[in-house]
Coordinates of all heavy atoms in Angstrom, one line a residue:
W1 N -7.8 0.8 6.9 CA -8.5 1.1 5.7 C -7.7 0.6 4.5 O -8.2 0.0 3.6 CB -8.7 2.6 5.6 CG -9.5 3.2 6.7 CD1 -10.2 2.6 7.7 CD2 -9.5 4.6 7.0 NE1 -10.7 3.6 8.6 CE2 -10.3 4.8 8.2 CE3 -9.0 5.8 6.4 CZ2 -10.6 6.1 8.7 CZ3 -9.3 7.0 6.9 CH2 -10.0 7.2 8.1
A2 N -6.4 0.9 4.5 CA -5.5 0.5 3.4 C -5.6 -1.0 3.2 O -5.6 -1.5 2.1 CB -4.1 1.0 3.6
A3 N -5.5 -1.7 4.3 CA -5.5 -3.2 4.2 C -6.8 -3.7 3.6 O -6.8 -4.6 2.8 CB -5.3 -3.8 5.6
A4 N -7.9 -3.0 4.0 CA -9.2 -3.4 3.4 C -9.3 -3.1 1.9 O -10.1 -3.8 1.2 CB -10.4 -2.7 4.2
Y5 N -8.5 -2.1 1.5 CA -8.5 -1.8 0.0 C -7.7 -2.8 -0.8 O -7.8 -2.7 -2.0 CB -7.9 -0.4 -0.1 CG -8.8 0.8 0.2 CD1 -8.3 2.1 0.1 CD2 -10.1 0.6 0.6 CE1 -9.1 3.2 0.4 CE2 -10.9 1.7 0.9 CZ -10.4 3.0 0.8 OH -11.1 4.1 1.1
V6 N -6.8 -3.5 -0.2 CA -5.9 -4.3 -1.0 C -6.6 -5.2 -2.0 O -6.1 -5.3 -3.2 CB -5.0 -5.2 0.0 CG1 -4.3 -6.3 -0.8 CG2 -4.0 -4.3 0.7
P7 N -7.7 -5.8 -1.7 CA -8.4 -6.6 -2.8 C -8.9 -5.8 -4.0 O -9.3 -6.4 -5.0 CB -9.5 -7.4 -2.0 CG -9.1 -7.3 -0.6 CD -8.4 -6.0 -0.4
D8 N -9.0 -4.5 -3.8 CA -9.6 -3.7 -4.8 C -8.5 -3.5 -6.0 O -7.4 -3.1 -5.7 CB -9.9 -2.3 -4.3 CG -10.7 -1.4 -5.2 OD1 -10.5 -1.4 -6.4 OD2 -11.6 -0.6 -4.7
R9 N -8.9 -3.9 -7.2 CA -8.0 -4.0 -8.3 C -7.9 -2.6 -9.0 O -7.1 -2.5 -10.0 CB -8.4 -5.0 -9.3 CG -8.4 -6.5 -8.7 CD -7.0 -7.0 -8.4 NE -6.6 -6.7 -7.0 CZ -5.4 -6.9 -6.6 NH1 -4.4 -7.4 -7.4 NH2 -5.1 -6.6 -5.3
D10 N -8.6 -1.6 -8.6 CA -8.6 -0.3 -9.3 C -7.2 0.3 -9.2 O -6.6 0.3 -8.2 CB -9.6 0.6 -8.8 CG -9.7 1.9 -9.6 OD1 -8.8 2.8 -9.5 OD2 -10.7 2.0 -10.4
W11 N -6.6 0.8 -10.4 CA -5.3 1.3 -10.4 C -5.1 2.4 -9.4 O -4.1 2.5 -8.7 CB -4.9 1.7 -11.8 CG -3.5 2.1 -12.0 CD1 -2.5 1.3 -12.4 CD2 -2.9 3.4 -11.8 NE1 -1.3 2.0 -12.5 CE2 -1.5 3.3 -12.1 CE3 -3.4 4.6 -11.3 CZ2 -0.7 4.4 -12.0 CZ3 -2.5 5.7 -11.2 CH2 -1.2 5.6 -11.5
F12 N -6.1 3.3 -9.4 CA -5.9 4.5 -8.5 C -6.0 4.1 -7.0 O -5.3 4.7 -6.2 CB -7.0 5.5 -8.8 CG -6.7 6.4 -10.0 CD1 -7.4 6.1 -11.2 CD2 -5.8 7.4 -10.0 CE1 -7.2 6.9 -12.3 CE2 -5.5 8.1 -11.1 CZ -6.2 7.9 -12.3
I13 N -6.7 3.1 -6.7 CA -6.8 2.6 -5.3 C -5.4 2.0 -4.9 O -4.9 2.3 -3.9 CB -7.9 1.7 -5.1 CG1 -9.3 2.4 -5.2 CG2 -7.8 1.0 -3.7 CD1 -9.6 3.5 -4.2
Q14 N -4.9 1.1 -5.8 CA -3.7 0.5 -5.5 C -2.5 1.5 -5.4 O -1.6 1.4 -4.6 CB -3.3 -0.5 -6.6 CG -4.2 -1.8 -6.6 CD -3.9 -2.7 -5.5 OE1 -2.7 -3.0 -5.3 NE2 -4.9 -3.2 -4.8
K15 N -2.6 2.5 -6.3 CA -1.6 3.6 -6.3 C -1.6 4.3 -5.0 O -0.6 4.7 -4.4 CB -1.8 4.6 -7.4 CG -0.9 5.8 -7.5 CD 0.5 5.4 -7.9 CE 1.4 6.6 -8.1 NZ 2.8 6.2 -8.4
A16 N -2.8 4.6 -4.4 CA -3.0 5.3 -3.2 C -2.4 4.5 -2.0 O -1.8 5.1 -1.1 CB -4.5 5.7 -2.9
I17 N -2.6 3.2 -2.0 CA -2.1 2.3 -1.0 C -0.5 2.4 -1.0 O 0.1 2.6 0.0 CB -2.5 0.9 -1.2 CG1 -4.0 0.7 -1.1 CG2 -1.8 0.0 -0.2 CD1 -4.6 -0.6 -1.5
G18 N 0.0 2.3 -2.2 CA 1.5 2.4 -2.4 C 2.0 3.7 -2.0 O 3.1 3.8 -1.3
W19 N 1.3 4.8 -2.3 CA 1.7 6.1 -1.9 C 1.8 6.3 -0.4 O 2.7 6.8 0.1 CB 0.7 7.1 -2.6 CG 1.0 8.6 -2.4 CD1 2.0 9.2 -1.8 CD2 0.1 9.6 -2.9 NE1 1.9 10.5 -1.8 CE2 0.7 10.8 -2.5 CE3 -1.1 9.6 -3.6 CZ2 0.2 12.1 -2.8 CZ3 -1.6 10.9 -3.9 CH2 -1.0 12.1 -3.5
W20 N 0.7 5.8 0.3 CA 0.6 6.0 1.7 C 1.8 5.2 2.4 O 2.4 5.7 3.3 CB -0.7 5.4 2.2 CG -1.3 6.2 3.4 CD1 -2.2 7.2 3.3 CD2 -1.0 6.1 4.7 NE1 -2.5 7.7 4.5 CE2 -1.8 7.0 5.4 CE3 -0.2 5.2 5.5 CZ2 -1.7 7.2 6.8 CZ3 -0.1 5.4 6.9 CH2 -0.9 6.3 7.5
L21 N 2.0 4.0 1.9 CA 3.1 3.2 2.5 C 4.4 3.7 2.2 O 5.4 3.7 3.0 CB 2.9 1.8 2.0 CG 1.7 1.0 2.5 CD1 1.6 -0.3 1.8 CD2 1.8 0.8 4.0
R22 N 4.6 4.3 1.0 CA 5.9 4.9 0.6 C 6.2 6.0 1.5 O 7.4 6.1 2.0 CB 5.9 5.4 -0.8 CG 7.2 6.0 -1.4 CD 6.9 6.8 -2.6 NE 6.1 8.0 -2.3 CZ 5.4 8.7 -3.2 NH1 5.5 8.4 -4.5 NH2 4.8 9.8 -2.8
D23 N 5.3 6.9 1.8 CA 5.5 8.0 2.7 C 5.7 7.5 4.1 O 6.6 8.0 4.9 CB 4.3 9.0 2.7 CG 4.3 9.9 1.4 OD1 5.3 9.7 0.6 OD2 3.4 10.7 1.3
L24 N 5.0 6.5 4.5 CA 5.2 5.9 5.9 C 6.6 5.3 6.0 O 7.2 5.4 7.1 CB 4.1 4.8 6.1 CG 4.2 4.1 7.5 CD1 4.0 5.1 8.6 CD2 3.2 2.9 7.5
S25 N 7.1 4.7 5.0 CA 8.4 4.0 5.1 C 9.5 5.0 5.5 O 10.5 4.5 6.1 CB 8.7 3.3 3.8 OG 9.0 4.3 2.8
K26 N 9.4 6.3 5.2 CA 10.4 7.2 5.5 C 10.4 7.6 7.0 O 11.4 8.1 7.5 CB 10.2 8.5 4.7 CG 10.2 8.4 3.2 CD 9.9 9.7 2.6 CE 9.7 9.5 1.1 NZ 9.3 10.8 0.4
H27 N 9.3 7.2 7.7 CA 9.2 7.5 9.1 C 9.0 6.3 10.0 O 9.3 6.4 11.2 CB 8.0 8.5 9.3 CG 8.0 9.7 8.4 ND1 8.7 10.8 8.8 CD2 7.5 9.9 7.2 CE1 8.6 11.7 7.8 NE2 7.9 11.2 6.8
D28 N 8.5 5.2 9.4 CA 8.4 4.0 10.2 C 8.5 2.8 9.2 O 7.6 2.2 8.8 CB 7.0 3.9 10.9 CG 6.9 2.8 11.9 OD1 7.7 1.9 11.9 OD2 6.0 2.9 12.8
A29 N 9.8 2.5 8.9 CA 10.1 1.4 8.0 C 9.6 0.1 8.5 O 9.1 -0.7 7.7 CB 11.6 1.4 7.7
A30 N 9.7 -0.2 9.8 CA 9.3 -1.4 10.4 C 7.8 -1.7 10.2 O 7.4 -2.8 9.8 CB 9.6 -1.5 11.8
R31 N 7.0 -0.6 10.4 CA 5.5 -0.8 10.2 C 5.2 -1.0 8.7 O 4.3 -1.8 8.4 CB 4.8 0.4 10.8 CG 3.3 0.3 10.7 CD 2.8 -0.8 11.6 NE 1.4 -1.0 11.6 CZ 0.8 -1.9 10.7 NH1 1.5 -2.5 9.8 NH2 -0.5 -2.0 10.8
T32 N 5.9 -0.3 7.9 CA 5.7 -0.5 6.4 C 6.0 -2.0 6.0 O 5.2 -2.6 5.3 CB 6.5 0.4 5.6 OG1 6.3 1.8 6.1 CG2 6.2 0.3 4.1
R33 N 7.1 -2.5 6.5 CA 7.5 -3.9 6.2 C 6.4 -4.8 6.8 O 6.1 -5.8 6.1 CB 8.8 -4.2 6.8 CG 10.0 -3.6 6.1 CD 11.3 -4.0 6.8 NE 12.5 -3.4 6.2 CZ 13.1 -3.7 5.1 NH1 12.6 -4.7 4.3 NH2 14.1 -3.0 4.6
A34 N 5.9 -4.6 7.9 CA 4.9 -5.4 8.5 C 3.6 -5.5 7.6 O 3.0 -6.5 7.4 CB 4.6 -5.0 9.9
F35 N 3.3 -4.3 7.1 CA 2.1 -4.2 6.3 C 2.4 -5.1 5.0 O 1.5 -5.9 4.6 CB 1.8 -2.8 5.9 CG 0.5 -2.6 5.1 CD1 -0.7 -2.2 5.7 CD2 0.4 -2.9 3.7 CE1 -1.9 -2.1 5.0 CE2 -0.7 -2.8 3.0 CZ -1.9 -2.3 3.7
L36 N 3.5 -4.9 4.4 CA 3.8 -5.6 3.2 C 4.0 -7.1 3.4 O 3.6 -7.9 2.6 CB 5.1 -5.0 2.6 CG 5.0 -3.6 2.0 CD1 6.4 -3.1 1.6 CD2 4.0 -3.6 0.8
D37 N 4.5 -7.5 4.6 CA 4.6 -8.9 4.9 C 3.2 -9.5 5.0 O 2.9 -10.7 4.6 CB 5.3 -9.1 6.2 CG 6.8 -8.9 6.1 OD1 7.3 -8.8 5.0 OD2 7.4 -8.7 7.2
A38 N 2.2 -8.7 5.5 CA 0.9 -9.2 5.7 C 0.0 -9.2 4.4 O -0.8 -10.0 4.2 CB 0.2 -8.5 6.8
H39 N 0.2 -8.1 3.6 CA -0.7 -7.8 2.5 C 0.0 -7.7 1.1 O -0.7 -7.6 0.1 CB -1.5 -6.6 2.8 CG -2.2 -6.6 4.1 ND1 -3.3 -7.4 4.3 CD2 -1.9 -5.9 5.3 CE1 -3.7 -7.2 5.6 NE2 -2.9 -6.3 6.1
G40 N 1.3 -7.6 1.1 CA 2.0 -7.3 -0.1 C 1.8 -8.3 -1.3 O 1.7 -7.9 -2.4
A41 N 1.6 -9.5 -0.9 CA 1.4 -10.5 -2.0 C 0.1 -10.3 -2.7 O 0.0 -10.7 -3.9 CB 1.5 -11.9 -1.4
Q42 N -0.9 -9.7 -2.0 CA -2.2 -9.4 -2.7 C -2.2 -8.1 -3.4 O -3.2 -7.8 -4.1 CB -3.3 -9.5 -1.6 CG -3.6 -10.9 -1.1 CD -2.5 -11.4 -0.1 OE1 -2.1 -10.6 0.8 NE2 -2.0 -12.6 -0.3
M43 N -1.2 -7.2 -3.2 CA -1.2 -5.9 -3.9 C -0.7 -6.1 -5.3 O 0.0 -7.1 -5.6 CB -0.3 -5.0 -3.1 CG -0.8 -4.6 -1.8 SD 0.5 -3.7 -0.7 CE 0.8 -2.3 -1.8
K44 N -1.1 -5.2 -6.2 CA -0.6 -5.2 -7.5 C 0.9 -4.9 -7.4 O 1.4 -4.2 -6.6 CB -1.3 -4.2 -8.4 CG -2.7 -4.6 -8.8 CD -3.2 -3.8 -10.0 CE -4.5 -4.3 -10.5 NZ -5.0 -3.6 -11.7
S45 N 1.7 -5.5 -8.3 CA 3.1 -5.4 -8.3 C 3.6 -3.9 -8.3 O 4.6 -3.6 -7.6 CB 3.8 -6.2 -9.4 OG 3.4 -5.7 -10.7
F46 N 3.0 -3.1 -9.1 CA 3.5 -1.7 -9.1 C 3.2 -1.0 -7.8 O 4.1 -0.1 -7.4 CB 2.8 -0.9 -10.3 CG 1.4 -0.4 -10.0 CD1 1.3 0.9 -9.4 CD2 0.3 -1.1 -10.3 CE1 0.0 1.4 -9.1 CE2 -1.0 -0.6 -10.0 CZ -1.1 0.6 -9.4
A47 N 2.1 -1.3 -7.1 CA 1.8 -0.7 -5.8 C 2.8 -1.2 -4.8 O 3.3 -0.4 -3.9 CB 0.4 -1.0 -5.4
R48 N 3.1 -2.5 -4.8 CA 4.0 -3.0 -3.9 C 5.4 -2.4 -4.1 O 6.1 -2.1 -3.1 CB 4.1 -4.6 -4.1 CG 4.9 -5.3 -3.0 CD 4.7 -6.8 -3.1 NE 5.0 -7.3 -4.4 CZ 4.1 -7.8 -5.3 NH1 2.8 -7.8 -5.1 NH2 4.5 -8.3 -6.5

């Protein structure tokens, strides 16, 4: 779902993606990195 939201430019949606991944990174850094490798370039910079 988060990956499908990446093209959405709404600030609150981008913030939610960043929030979910930030929390995930504390428990599965590798999966977070994989998501960012695949989609980070399309995320807004603050969310990334």
Side-chain angles (χ1 to χ4, degrees):
W1 304 344
Y5 283 178
V6 166
D8 192 322
R9 300 290 90 187
D10 189 281
W11 188 92
F12 282 104
I13 294 295
Q14 291 285 316
K15 178 69 173 178
I17 298 169
W19 183 3
W20 217 95
L21 293 170
R22 181 197 68 198
D23 282 1
L24 177 64
S25 72
K26 300 175 186 178
H27 306 274
D28 192 340
R31 185 64 183 89
T32 306
R33 287 185 185 278
F35 187 101
L36 290 173
D37 287 345
H39 306 288
Q42 287 75 48
M43 292 167 61
K44 285 197 171 184
S45 60
F46 81 88
R48 188 169 59 248

